Structures are given as structure tokens and as C-alpha cells.
Amino acid sequence: MLFANQRLPLISVSLVQGKAIGGGAEICTACDFRLMTEESEIRFVHKHMGIVPGWGGASRLIQIIGPRQALKLLSSAQGIHPEHALSIGLADDILSSTADKAMEEAQTWISSYTKGPAETIRAIKKVVTSGREHALVDSLRKEKDIFGTVWGGPVHLQALSKVLKRN
């Protein structure tokens, strides 16, 4: 499983091959996107251990799939297979590759979201993180501030130049 936190400045993805159980399920929720191979499973087994998620997995799960679905997954401790995970929004895609090719397929999948100037991708990630973590009025203010960091910058000016040349 690849892991990167949602608070990182760039886009992160988890690739579930096999079983992501307990803490592994929590780690999945910390990424921006979740990809699963056909034979994989995510399972929040905390109930069977007499505990609840403690690494932020429950709170993030609620944000990702909503409180009703999160209650079902946490209180049932059932395994979530790729098709179900996709249908409730826990997974973003199911990869059809064999285990040895899944990483390559995942890199191809994520590349459409990460292609482009790192400065712009970081700014997009900041705007989304702010919108997720702050009240609307604070998020709007933060978005304006982030916009100011890229407006008129080298990447923006280069993009404008290309558009003007085409017209």
C-alpha cells in the first residue's frame, strides 16, 4: 500500500493490494485517492478488538463516505470489497492489473491529476484542503490568498502566453 497524508502539499494515493485491515484501513482514509485491485479488501476491525479507530480513520471515513455509511462499516466490521467501496465512494477506481503491474497502472491513473507544474498542483491541493478543513468564510479567504500566490507567477504567465498565441 502506498501512503501519503492528505495534508501533504501534493496529491496522494493509496493502492490496496490484498487486505487493508484495522490500521491499514485507517491509512487508506488519509490519502486523497484510494485505488483497489480486484482481489483487495478494506476492513475496519476495531470493533472486534474492543476499540475504535484512533489514528483519525473514523473522522476521515465520515468525510469520505458520510456518517451513515461510516457507521455501517465501523459497527459491522465487514470487509469492503472493491465494487462496494467504489459504489459508496471509498474507492476511486478498481485496477484490473495483476499484482506485479498494479503499481504501474496506479501511476498511470494518478498521472492525469498530478501532471502539470508542481506549483499549481500544490496550490490546488491547498485550496481543496482548506475547503475540507475550514468553515466556508475562512475557506473563501484562504482560497483568495492561495490564488494570490500563483496569479501573475511564471506558470500563469506562460499559460497566458500560450493562449494568446493560439488566438
Side-chain angles (χ1 to χ4, degrees), residues 11-62:
I11 297 171
S12 61
V13 62
S14 68
L15 169 58
V16 181
Q17 297 177 278
K19 296 180 185 230
I21 298 174
E26 288 194 67
I27 289 171
C28 291
T29 67
C31 295
D32 298 307
F33 297 110
R34 283 153 301 285
L35 303 176
M36 298 177 74
T37 57
E38 292 176 346
E39 75 287 347
S40 64
E41 174 184 311
I42 298 173
R43 184 183 296 238
F44 293 85
V45 296
H46 304 75
K47 170 183 143 177
H48 295 312
M49 299 170 64
I51 61 173
V52 298
W55 301 343
S59 297
R60 289 187 302 266
L61 184 65
I62 292 164

Side-chain angles (χ1 to χ4, degrees), residues 75-95:
S75 64
S76 71
Q78 291 179 334
I80 303 116
H81 297 282
E83 296 79 18
H84 184 215
L86 191 62
S87 74
I88 63 173
L90 182 58
D92 293 286
D93 207 349
I94 302 168
L95 305 183

Side-chain angles (χ1 to χ4, degrees), residues 100-111:
D100 58 329
K101 297 283 186 186
M103 182 66 75
E104 188 177 314
E105 187 178 353
Q107 289 172 331
T108 300
W109 188 94
I110 195 70
S111 70

